[in-house]
Amino acid sequence: MPSTLYRLKEHSNEDKQHYKLFNEMTEIVPQVARQLDNEKQLVEYKGDITFVPSKDIVHQVKNDKYIGTISTHRRLSPDSTIYAQYERTLQMKPSFDKEQCHILGMILISNKQMIVAGYNNNKIKIIDICHGRLVSQISVSSEPRDVIKLPQNQVAVALPDEQHIQIMSYTYTSMSLDRRIDVGNKCYCVAYWQDMLVVGCNFNPGKLIVLDFDGNIVEVFDTPGLFGGPKKIVISIDEKFIYVSDYNNVSKRSKFLKIDWQGNIVQRFEDQGYVSPTGIQELIGGTLLVCYRNIHTIVRLSRSFKECPIVGLEKANLHFLQAVIYCKRDQKLYISCSSAHGFCADKIKIFSFELF
């Protein structure tokens, strides 16, 4: 019986649509006829035709010096060399903080503000980039390991010790705690994808868990040997792949992976000389920047995971790199790192990017 009622309702809706379309066609016929008649009269008209401009538009043009600007950006390719020019450093330890702000995660919420996760002092902070000052901060219940941006002015914070993802709301002057999503595993990093969270969990071995916002498990990637311990995960710009910085604290084995949504390894970057990958940033054109904490450098990889040129960072005195983000609008690179030979990433170094 319910299916019969559904079909009757469906037919009724179709009839209504047909009637509506018929009425609209009936009403538009006279309008089309009038338009055709006007066009015919205009073609046959033998007199002069004068264009009268709008006074408002003329006034606007006289008072405005320009109607817009044109900006150009070179297309980034694997063969192009990136030059990073150091600009300045943001210090992340206000005088009233008892502990240093060890920045393991950070995101841009505009080209003038960022949100950072302070691991040592259990704080999430809004930072004014232009003036290098603290705008607002809020305490979380345990040490945050990662922070990502969500739609509708929200962020997600990974709290591994409590096995939770903390959802928060923000304005450009304040933050508030919303709700928690139970992961059931130590969650070290998190990414957002199509109204779901992709969470990097555990180590020796590690795994990825895909959750909806009600905490229901959609998928788990835990093939033996796939992960030692995910430290950072990023969804590719085209949303087809997952990039994973992986480091096994026991075996000391490091690898950077590109996997598909079936958990298959598409590409792998693994070199004994590169230890402990952390932050990831994908640039337009498919090129990648990967922080390597223990060798104090950033590696640039092409789509096929071949190393590409990047000049300037070797002179920037980077140590113990953790997070990296890029502002496309201003072509600025932000890297959280420590002082020379330090082990607390309490500074954010800012670089401008140029291609040649």
PDB file of all heavy atoms in Angstrom, residues 258-285:
ATOM      1  N   LYS A 258      51.429   8.441  -0.317  1.00  0.00           N
ATOM      2  CA  LYS A 258      50.227   8.898  -1.008  1.00  0.00           C
ATOM      3  C   LYS A 258      49.362   7.660  -1.207  1.00  0.00           C
ATOM      4  O   LYS A 258      49.759   6.713  -1.896  1.00  0.00           O
ATOM      5  CB  LYS A 258      50.595   9.513  -2.358  1.00  0.00           C
ATOM      6  CG  LYS A 258      49.416   9.982  -3.201  1.00  0.00           C
ATOM      7  CD  LYS A 258      49.941  10.549  -4.520  1.00  0.00           C
ATOM      8  CE  LYS A 258      48.835  11.064  -5.424  1.00  0.00           C
ATOM      9  NZ  LYS A 258      49.373  11.622  -6.694  1.00  0.00           N
ATOM     10  N   ILE A 259      48.178   7.623  -0.576  1.00  0.00           N
ATOM     11  CA  ILE A 259      47.315   6.451  -0.680  1.00  0.00           C
ATOM     12  C   ILE A 259      45.962   6.857  -1.262  1.00  0.00           C
ATOM     13  O   ILE A 259      45.570   8.026  -1.208  1.00  0.00           O
ATOM     14  CB  ILE A 259      47.117   5.745   0.684  1.00  0.00           C
ATOM     15  CG1 ILE A 259      46.304   6.625   1.642  1.00  0.00           C
ATOM     16  CG2 ILE A 259      48.460   5.385   1.305  1.00  0.00           C
ATOM     17  CD1 ILE A 259      45.895   5.905   2.928  1.00  0.00           C
ATOM     18  N   ASP A 260      45.256   5.882  -1.849  1.00  0.00           N
ATOM     19  CA  ASP A 260      43.928   6.156  -2.377  1.00  0.00           C
ATOM     20  C   ASP A 260      42.884   5.820  -1.306  1.00  0.00           C
ATOM     21  O   ASP A 260      43.213   5.430  -0.183  1.00  0.00           O
ATOM     22  CB  ASP A 260      43.675   5.394  -3.686  1.00  0.00           C
ATOM     23  CG  ASP A 260      43.764   3.876  -3.518  1.00  0.00           C
ATOM     24  OD1 ASP A 260      43.582   3.375  -2.382  1.00  0.00           O
ATOM     25  OD2 ASP A 260      44.012   3.180  -4.522  1.00  0.00           O
ATOM     26  N   TRP A 261      41.614   5.946  -1.668  1.00  0.00           N
ATOM     27  CA  TRP A 261      40.536   5.747  -0.696  1.00  0.00           C
ATOM     28  C   TRP A 261      40.185   4.284  -0.486  1.00  0.00           C
ATOM     29  O   TRP A 261      39.244   3.974   0.230  1.00  0.00           O
ATOM     30  CB  TRP A 261      39.304   6.557  -1.119  1.00  0.00           C
ATOM     31  CG  TRP A 261      39.550   8.019  -0.960  1.00  0.00           C
ATOM     32  CD1 TRP A 261      39.862   8.917  -1.926  1.00  0.00           C
ATOM     33  CD2 TRP A 261      39.548   8.760   0.264  1.00  0.00           C
ATOM     34  NE1 TRP A 261      40.056  10.167  -1.400  1.00  0.00           N
ATOM     35  CE2 TRP A 261      39.857  10.108  -0.054  1.00  0.00           C
ATOM     36  CE3 TRP A 261      39.303   8.424   1.602  1.00  0.00           C
ATOM     37  CZ2 TRP A 261      39.940  11.103   0.909  1.00  0.00           C
ATOM     38  CZ3 TRP A 261      39.383   9.428   2.563  1.00  0.00           C
ATOM     39  CH2 TRP A 261      39.693  10.745   2.210  1.00  0.00           C
ATOM     40  N   GLN A 262      40.961   3.403  -1.073  1.00  0.00           N
ATOM     41  CA  GLN A 262      40.855   1.973  -0.763  1.00  0.00           C
ATOM     42  C   GLN A 262      42.016   1.520   0.112  1.00  0.00           C
ATOM     43  O   GLN A 262      42.122   0.332   0.453  1.00  0.00           O
ATOM     44  CB  GLN A 262      40.841   1.132  -2.053  1.00  0.00           C
ATOM     45  CG  GLN A 262      39.554   1.223  -2.858  1.00  0.00           C
ATOM     46  CD  GLN A 262      39.374   2.566  -3.535  1.00  0.00           C
ATOM     47  OE1 GLN A 262      40.296   3.060  -4.189  1.00  0.00           O
ATOM     48  NE2 GLN A 262      38.206   3.170  -3.379  1.00  0.00           N
ATOM     49  N   GLY A 263      42.880   2.471   0.494  1.00  0.00           N
ATOM     50  CA  GLY A 263      44.009   2.142   1.358  1.00  0.00           C
ATOM     51  C   GLY A 263      45.213   1.607   0.614  1.00  0.00           C
ATOM     52  O   GLY A 263      46.137   1.069   1.242  1.00  0.00           O
ATOM     53  N   ASN A 264      45.256   1.759  -0.709  1.00  0.00           N
ATOM     54  CA  ASN A 264      46.389   1.295  -1.508  1.00  0.00           C
ATOM     55  C   ASN A 264      47.447   2.389  -1.606  1.00  0.00           C
ATOM     56  O   ASN A 264      47.122   3.566  -1.770  1.00  0.00           O
ATOM     57  CB  ASN A 264      45.940   0.913  -2.917  1.00  0.00           C
ATOM     58  CG  ASN A 264      44.850  -0.143  -2.912  1.00  0.00           C
ATOM     59  OD1 ASN A 264      44.986  -1.185  -2.267  1.00  0.00           O
ATOM     60  ND2 ASN A 264      43.749   0.113  -3.614  1.00  0.00           N
ATOM     61  N   ILE A 265      48.704   1.988  -1.523  1.00  0.00           N
ATOM     62  CA  ILE A 265      49.800   2.946  -1.683  1.00  0.00           C
ATOM     63  C   ILE A 265      49.950   3.291  -3.156  1.00  0.00           C
ATOM     64  O   ILE A 265      50.198   2.421  -3.990  1.00  0.00           O
ATOM     65  CB  ILE A 265      51.118   2.380  -1.127  1.00  0.00           C
ATOM     66  CG1 ILE A 265      51.001   2.146   0.389  1.00  0.00           C
ATOM     67  CG2 ILE A 265      52.269   3.339  -1.421  1.00  0.00           C
ATOM     68  CD1 ILE A 265      52.238   1.524   1.005  1.00  0.00           C
ATOM     69  N   VAL A 266      49.791   4.563  -3.485  1.00  0.00           N
ATOM     70  CA  VAL A 266      49.937   5.040  -4.861  1.00  0.00           C
ATOM     71  C   VAL A 266      51.387   5.443  -5.113  1.00  0.00           C
ATOM     72  O   VAL A 266      51.961   5.126  -6.151  1.00  0.00           O
ATOM     73  CB  VAL A 266      48.988   6.215  -5.133  1.00  0.00           C
ATOM     74  CG1 VAL A 266      49.164   6.747  -6.553  1.00  0.00           C
ATOM     75  CG2 VAL A 266      47.540   5.803  -4.888  1.00  0.00           C
ATOM     76  N   GLN A 267      51.982   6.167  -4.146  1.00  0.00           N
ATOM     77  CA  GLN A 267      53.378   6.559  -4.226  1.00  0.00           C
ATOM     78  C   GLN A 267      53.980   6.563  -2.828  1.00  0.00           C
ATOM     79  O   GLN A 267      53.279   6.750  -1.835  1.00  0.00           O
ATOM     80  CB  GLN A 267      53.538   7.936  -4.865  1.00  0.00           C
ATOM     81  CG  GLN A 267      53.699   7.894  -6.374  1.00  0.00           C
ATOM     82  CD  GLN A 267      52.950   8.997  -7.068  1.00  0.00           C
ATOM     83  OE1 GLN A 267      52.284   9.806  -6.441  1.00  0.00           O
ATOM     84  NE2 GLN A 267      53.015   9.038  -8.381  1.00  0.00           N
ATOM     85  N   ARG A 268      55.291   6.378  -2.785  1.00  0.00           N
ATOM     86  CA  ARG A 268      56.002   6.326  -1.510  1.00  0.00           C
ATOM     87  C   ARG A 268      57.329   7.073  -1.658  1.00  0.00           C
ATOM     88  O   ARG A 268      58.023   6.925  -2.658  1.00  0.00           O
ATOM     89  CB  ARG A 268      56.269   4.873  -1.138  1.00  0.00           C
ATOM     90  CG  ARG A 268      57.119   4.665   0.099  1.00  0.00           C
ATOM     91  CD  ARG A 268      57.697   3.253   0.138  1.00  0.00           C
ATOM     92  NE  ARG A 268      56.665   2.251   0.197  1.00  0.00           N
ATOM     93  CZ  ARG A 268      56.301   1.597   1.292  1.00  0.00           C
ATOM     94  NH1 ARG A 268      56.889   1.858   2.434  1.00  0.00           N
ATOM     95  NH2 ARG A 268      55.356   0.681   1.243  1.00  0.00           N
ATOM     96  N   PHE A 269      57.645   7.891  -0.653  1.00  0.00           N
ATOM     97  CA  PHE A 269      58.955   8.532  -0.581  1.00  0.00           C
ATOM     98  C   PHE A 269      59.612   8.053   0.704  1.00  0.00           C
ATOM     99  O   PHE A 269      59.135   8.348   1.800  1.00  0.00           O
ATOM    100  CB  PHE A 269      58.834  10.051  -0.587  1.00  0.00           C
ATOM    101  CG  PHE A 269      60.155  10.769  -0.561  1.00  0.00           C
ATOM    102  CD1 PHE A 269      60.916  10.893  -1.715  1.00  0.00           C
ATOM    103  CD2 PHE A 269      60.641  11.307   0.615  1.00  0.00           C
ATOM    104  CE1 PHE A 269      62.134  11.554  -1.700  1.00  0.00           C
ATOM    105  CE2 PHE A 269      61.860  11.973   0.645  1.00  0.00           C
ATOM    106  CZ  PHE A 269      62.612  12.096  -0.519  1.00  0.00           C
ATOM    107  N   GLU A 270      60.688   7.300   0.543  1.00  0.00           N
ATOM    108  CA  GLU A 270      61.336   6.695   1.703  1.00  0.00           C
ATOM    109  C   GLU A 270      62.832   6.705   1.476  1.00  0.00           C
ATOM    110  O   GLU A 270      63.338   6.114   0.521  1.00  0.00           O
ATOM    111  CB  GLU A 270      60.824   5.268   1.890  1.00  0.00           C
ATOM    112  CG  GLU A 270      61.217   4.613   3.196  1.00  0.00           C
ATOM    113  CD  GLU A 270      60.485   3.294   3.423  1.00  0.00           C
ATOM    114  OE1 GLU A 270      59.861   2.796   2.463  1.00  0.00           O
ATOM    115  OE2 GLU A 270      60.542   2.780   4.535  1.00  0.00           O
ATOM    116  N   ASP A 271      63.541   7.398   2.323  1.00  0.00           N
ATOM    117  CA  ASP A 271      64.983   7.521   2.183  1.00  0.00           C
ATOM    118  C   ASP A 271      65.588   7.523   3.585  1.00  0.00           C
ATOM    119  O   ASP A 271      65.088   8.215   4.482  1.00  0.00           O
ATOM    120  CB  ASP A 271      65.337   8.812   1.434  1.00  0.00           C
ATOM    121  CG  ASP A 271      66.799   8.892   1.042  1.00  0.00           C
ATOM    122  OD1 ASP A 271      67.664   8.801   1.940  1.00  0.00           O
ATOM    123  OD2 ASP A 271      67.077   9.037  -0.160  1.00  0.00           O
ATOM    124  N   GLN A 272      66.648   6.766   3.766  1.00  0.00           N
ATOM    125  CA  GLN A 272      67.255   6.666   5.092  1.00  0.00           C
ATOM    126  C   GLN A 272      67.768   8.005   5.594  1.00  0.00           C
ATOM    127  O   GLN A 272      67.884   8.225   6.793  1.00  0.00           O
ATOM    128  CB  GLN A 272      68.401   5.653   5.060  1.00  0.00           C
ATOM    129  CG  GLN A 272      67.941   4.212   4.862  1.00  0.00           C
ATOM    130  CD  GLN A 272      69.090   3.221   4.898  1.00  0.00           C
ATOM    131  OE1 GLN A 272      70.247   3.616   4.942  1.00  0.00           O
ATOM    132  NE2 GLN A 272      68.764   1.937   4.887  1.00  0.00           N
ATOM    133  N   GLY A 273      68.055   8.908   4.653  1.00  0.00           N
ATOM    134  CA  GLY A 273      68.562  10.209   5.060  1.00  0.00           C
ATOM    135  C   GLY A 273      67.496  11.165   5.562  1.00  0.00           C
ATOM    136  O   GLY A 273      67.815  12.193   6.163  1.00  0.00           O
ATOM    137  N   TYR A 274      66.223  10.837   5.330  1.00  0.00           N
ATOM    138  CA  TYR A 274      65.131  11.709   5.743  1.00  0.00           C
ATOM    139  C   TYR A 274      64.376  11.074   6.912  1.00  0.00           C
ATOM    140  O   TYR A 274      63.742  10.028   6.750  1.00  0.00           O
ATOM    141  CB  TYR A 274      64.182  11.961   4.571  1.00  0.00           C
ATOM    142  CG  TYR A 274      64.843  12.738   3.453  1.00  0.00           C
ATOM    143  CD1 TYR A 274      65.315  12.094   2.314  1.00  0.00           C
ATOM    144  CD2 TYR A 274      64.991  14.115   3.556  1.00  0.00           C
ATOM    145  CE1 TYR A 274      65.917  12.806   1.290  1.00  0.00           C
ATOM    146  CE2 TYR A 274      65.595  14.838   2.541  1.00  0.00           C
ATOM    147  CZ  TYR A 274      66.059  14.181   1.414  1.00  0.00           C
ATOM    148  OH  TYR A 274      66.669  14.898   0.420  1.00  0.00           O
ATOM    149  N   VAL A 275      64.455  11.708   8.065  1.00  0.00           N
ATOM    150  CA  VAL A 275      63.941  11.119   9.299  1.00  0.00           C
ATOM    151  C   VAL A 275      62.808  11.965   9.871  1.00  0.00           C
ATOM    152  O   VAL A 275      62.906  13.189   9.932  1.00  0.00           O
ATOM    153  CB  VAL A 275      65.065  10.986  10.352  1.00  0.00           C
ATOM    154  CG1 VAL A 275      64.540  10.303  11.615  1.00  0.00           C
ATOM    155  CG2 VAL A 275      66.245  10.215   9.780  1.00  0.00           C
ATOM    156  N   SER A 276      61.741  11.288  10.270  1.00  0.00           N
ATOM    157  CA  SER A 276      60.617  11.883  10.996  1.00  0.00           C
ATOM    158  C   SER A 276      59.906  12.995  10.218  1.00  0.00           C
ATOM    159  O   SER A 276      60.014  14.175  10.550  1.00  0.00           O
ATOM    160  CB  SER A 276      61.075  12.420  12.361  1.00  0.00           C
ATOM    161  OG  SER A 276      59.952  12.767  13.144  1.00  0.00           O
ATOM    162  N   PRO A 277      59.142  12.630   9.186  1.00  0.00           N
ATOM    163  CA  PRO A 277      58.341  13.629   8.470  1.00  0.00           C
ATOM    164  C   PRO A 277      57.193  14.129   9.353  1.00  0.00           C
ATOM    165  O   PRO A 277      56.602  13.360  10.105  1.00  0.00           O
ATOM    166  CB  PRO A 277      57.816  12.854   7.257  1.00  0.00           C
ATOM    167  CG  PRO A 277      57.782  11.429   7.704  1.00  0.00           C
ATOM    168  CD  PRO A 277      58.932  11.267   8.657  1.00  0.00           C
ATOM    169  N   THR A 278      56.892  15.406   9.243  1.00  0.00           N
ATOM    170  CA  THR A 278      55.811  15.995  10.057  1.00  0.00           C
ATOM    171  C   THR A 278      54.850  16.755   9.146  1.00  0.00           C
ATOM    172  O   THR A 278      54.028  16.168   8.476  1.00  0.00           O
ATOM    173  CB  THR A 278      56.399  16.893  11.152  1.00  0.00           C
ATOM    174  OG1 THR A 278      57.328  17.826  10.571  1.00  0.00           O
ATOM    175  CG2 THR A 278      57.137  16.053  12.202  1.00  0.00           C
ATOM    176  N   GLY A 279      54.947  18.080   9.114  1.00  0.00           N
ATOM    177  CA  GLY A 279      53.979  18.903   8.399  1.00  0.00           C
ATOM    178  C   GLY A 279      53.975  18.680   6.900  1.00  0.00           C
ATOM    179  O   GLY A 279      55.003  18.372   6.286  1.00  0.00           O
ATOM    180  N   ILE A 280      52.786  18.864   6.281  1.00  0.00           N
ATOM    181  CA  ILE A 280      52.590  18.670   4.846  1.00  0.00           C
ATOM    182  C   ILE A 280      51.837  19.870   4.288  1.00  0.00           C
ATOM    183  O   ILE A 280      50.867  20.339   4.894  1.00  0.00           O
ATOM    184  CB  ILE A 280      51.771  17.399   4.544  1.00  0.00           C
ATOM    185  CG1 ILE A 280      52.363  16.172   5.235  1.00  0.00           C
ATOM    186  CG2 ILE A 280      51.637  17.172   3.041  1.00  0.00           C
ATOM    187  CD1 ILE A 280      51.413  14.979   5.233  1.00  0.00           C
ATOM    188  N   GLN A 281      52.248  20.333   3.125  1.00  0.00           N
ATOM    189  CA  GLN A 281      51.504  21.366   2.410  1.00  0.00           C
ATOM    190  C   GLN A 281      51.533  21.052   0.925  1.00  0.00           C
ATOM    191  O   GLN A 281      52.603  20.928   0.325  1.00  0.00           O
ATOM    192  CB  GLN A 281      52.101  22.747   2.654  1.00  0.00           C
ATOM    193  CG  GLN A 281      51.473  23.867   1.847  1.00  0.00           C
ATOM    194  CD  GLN A 281      50.020  24.137   2.217  1.00  0.00           C
ATOM    195  OE1 GLN A 281      49.727  24.507   3.347  1.00  0.00           O
ATOM    196  NE2 GLN A 281      49.113  23.952   1.270  1.00  0.00           N
ATOM    197  N   GLU A 282      50.343  20.912   0.317  1.00  0.00           N
ATOM    198  CA  GLU A 282      50.266  20.749  -1.130  1.00  0.00           C
ATOM    199  C   GLU A 282      50.094  22.120  -1.772  1.00  0.00           C
ATOM    200  O   GLU A 282      49.258  22.917  -1.343  1.00  0.00           O
ATOM    201  CB  GLU A 282      49.107  19.842  -1.529  1.00  0.00           C
ATOM    202  CG  GLU A 282      49.030  19.599  -3.037  1.00  0.00           C
ATOM    203  CD  GLU A 282      47.856  18.732  -3.459  1.00  0.00           C
ATOM    204  OE1 GLU A 282      46.976  18.467  -2.615  1.00  0.00           O
ATOM    205  OE2 GLU A 282      47.817  18.337  -4.633  1.00  0.00           O
ATOM    206  N   LEU A 283      50.881  22.395  -2.808  1.00  0.00           N
ATOM    207  CA  LEU A 283      50.785  23.632  -3.557  1.00  0.00           C
ATOM    208  C   LEU A 283      50.029  23.391  -4.851  1.00  0.00           C
ATOM    209  O   LEU A 283      49.891  22.255  -5.307  1.00  0.00           O
ATOM    210  CB  LEU A 283      52.178  24.185  -3.867  1.00  0.00           C
ATOM    211  CG  LEU A 283      53.100  24.414  -2.666  1.00  0.00           C
ATOM    212  CD1 LEU A 283      54.462  24.878  -3.147  1.00  0.00           C
ATOM    213  CD2 LEU A 283      52.504  25.434  -1.703  1.00  0.00           C
ATOM    214  N   ILE A 284      49.533  24.460  -5.465  1.00  0.00           N
ATOM    215  CA  ILE A 284      48.868  24.341  -6.756  1.00  0.00           C
ATOM    216  C   ILE A 284      49.846  23.752  -7.771  1.00  0.00           C
ATOM    217  O   ILE A 284      50.996  24.162  -7.852  1.00  0.00           O
ATOM    218  CB  ILE A 284      48.373  25.723  -7.237  1.00  0.00           C
ATOM    219  CG1 ILE A 284      47.360  26.293  -6.230  1.00  0.00           C
ATOM    220  CG2 ILE A 284      47.753  25.619  -8.616  1.00  0.00           C
ATOM    221  CD1 ILE A 284      46.126  25.455  -6.067  1.00  0.00           C
ATOM    222  N   GLY A 285      49.369  22.796  -8.542  1.00  0.00           N
ATOM    223  CA  GLY A 285      50.240  22.128  -9.499  1.00  0.00           C
ATOM    224  C   GLY A 285      50.675  20.762  -9.035  1.00  0.00           C
ATOM    225  O   GLY A 285      51.361  20.041  -9.757  1.00  0.00           O
TER     226      GLY A 285
END
